[in-house]
Amino acid sequence: MADLEALLADFTAECADLDRLIADLDPAEWRRDTPAAGWTIAHQIAHLNWTDRVAAVAATDPATFDGLVQAAPPKALTFVDEAAAEGAKTPAPQLLADWRRDRAALVEALRTVPAGTKLPWFGPPMSPASMVTARLMETWAHGQDVADTLGITREPTARLRHIAHIGVRTRDFAYMTHGKTAPAGEFRVELTAPDGEVWSWGPEDAEQRITGPALDFCLLVTQRRHFDDLGLTVIGADAREWLGLAQAFAGPPGSGRTAGQFA
C-alpha cells in the first residue's frame, strides 16, 4: 500500500522547488511566454493552482465537484486553457499566495480522506495516493516549462520515480487517446535514477524494452522533450511507437516539443 504521508511530503517538496524558481521574480517576468504555446509563467502557476483547488474540492465536497464535472463536457477541449487564462489575470503576488494556500489546503484535505475511499475526478475515480502522485507529476512537468523559460537546469531527484511510474502505467491510455489498440504484451522499462539505482517495470524477459536515464523518460512521457533529444535506448518497434505516443497526463494528446527545440 502506498505511504500517503510520504507522497504528500514529496508533493510538498516538488511544489517548494518550483516556488523557489518564481518567488523572487519581478511581476513582469510572470508574463514571459513558456514553451507551452499561449501560456506564460502566470498561466502555468494559475493552472496548477486551479487544479490543486479543484482536487481539494473532490476530496472534501464530492457533490460540488460533481457539479463541476457536469459543466465540463461542453468545454471539454477548452476549459483547462480557459481556467489558466482567467487565473493568469491575477496579479503575480496574489497568484503566488493563492497557489501556496491552495496546495497546502489540498495536502490537508487528502489527509482527511477515509482509508479505501476513491475520489471523484474528471476521469476514473482516484485514491488519495493516486491523486497526490498525479499532482506531483503535473507540478514537476509545468515546473519544467518554467525552468526552461528562465534558462534554469533543475537538479533531478528521487521524486522522478513517481512520474516514471505514471508514465509506465499510462501506456495503454496513450494508445487509446490516439485511437490505437495497445500491444497485448508488457514492455520492460529500466531507468537509471539520479543516484545510480535502477528502477524497473515489466517482465525481465520482455522483447520490447526501454532503458536510459529516469530524467529523460520523465521528460518524454510529460512531453517536455522530443525523443530525438533524449538518451533513451529502445528495442522493438512497438516500444518505439509507444514513446511517440506516450503521455503521463490526462486529456487529449498534446503537441509536445520539437526536436532540437532546447539545443
Side-chain angles (χ1 to χ4, degrees):
M1 181 178 294
D3 184 339
L4 180 60
E5 283 301 322
L7 288 170
L8 291 171
D10 280 351
F11 170 65
T12 299
E14 196 63 51
C15 290
D17 275 1
L18 174 52
D19 196 311
R20 283 190 284 272
L21 295 186
I22 60 176
D24 296 326
L25 287 181
D26 184 278
E29 291 286 284
W30 286 64
R31 303 301 163 190
R32 290 181 61 178
D33 291 331
T34 68
W39 280 33
T40 64
I41 290 176
H43 283 77
Q44 300 281 353
I45 303 305
H47 170 67
L48 292 175
N49 182 216
W50 179 85
T51 315
D52 289 345
R53 185 169 64 249
V54 170
V57 172
T60 59
D61 190 351
T64 296
F65 179 80
D66 185 60
L68 295 173
V69 173
Q70 296 303 319
K75 299 182 176 182
L77 299 178
T78 63
F79 79 99
V80 170
D81 284 338
E82 289 176 7
E86 184 62 29
K89 298 175 184 177
T90 305
Q94 184 60 54
L95 179 53
L96 180 57
D98 289 348
W99 178 49
R100 288 170 172 169
R101 178 198 64 216
D102 291 336
R103 76 199 197 213
L106 173 59
V107 169
E108 292 307 313
L110 292 175
R111 283 195 174 113
T112 68
V113 176
T117 300
K118 292 283 189 177
L119 307 179
W121 198 238
F122 296 99
M126 304 173 74
S127 69
S130 293
M131 178 68 81
V132 72
T133 304
R135 298 308 312 129
L136 187 156
M137 178 273 295
E138 272 220 275
T139 302
W140 182 85
H142 290 284
Q144 185 63 47
D145 291 333
V146 173
D148 287 334
T149 302
L150 300 175
I152 294 172
T153 299
R154 300 187 297 175
E155 192 70 26
T157 74
R159 297 190 296 273
L160 291 175
R161 185 166 192 160
H162 303 305
I163 301 159
H165 183 70
I166 294 177
V168 172
R169 291 289 300 274
T170 52
R171 185 198 73 164
D172 292 3
F173 167 77
Y175 275 90
M176 182 185 70
T177 62
H178 285 83
K180 296 175 176 285
T181 300
E186 291 186 64
F187 299 166
R188 178 69 171 182
V189 178
E190 295 181 355
L191 304 175
T192 305
D195 67 355
E197 181 185 357
V198 175
W199 301 333
S200 61
W201 294 262
E204 291 187 16
D205 61 351
E207 294 182 0
Q208 306 288 322
R209 308 177 71 86
I210 299 99
T211 60
L215 173 61
D216 288 21
F217 182 78
C218 291
L219 287 167
L220 182 85
V221 298
T222 57
Q223 297 189 1
R224 264 55 189 184
R225 290 293 187 275
H226 190 278
F227 174 82
D228 291 351
D229 296 333
L230 300 171
L232 297 172
T233 299
V234 183
I235 298 175
D238 288 344
R240 180 63 188 89
E241 180 187 37
W242 170 45
L243 294 189
L245 309 174
Q247 64 177 75
F249 51 88
S255 57
R257 305 290 180 260
T258 59
Q261 183 172 349
F262 300 95

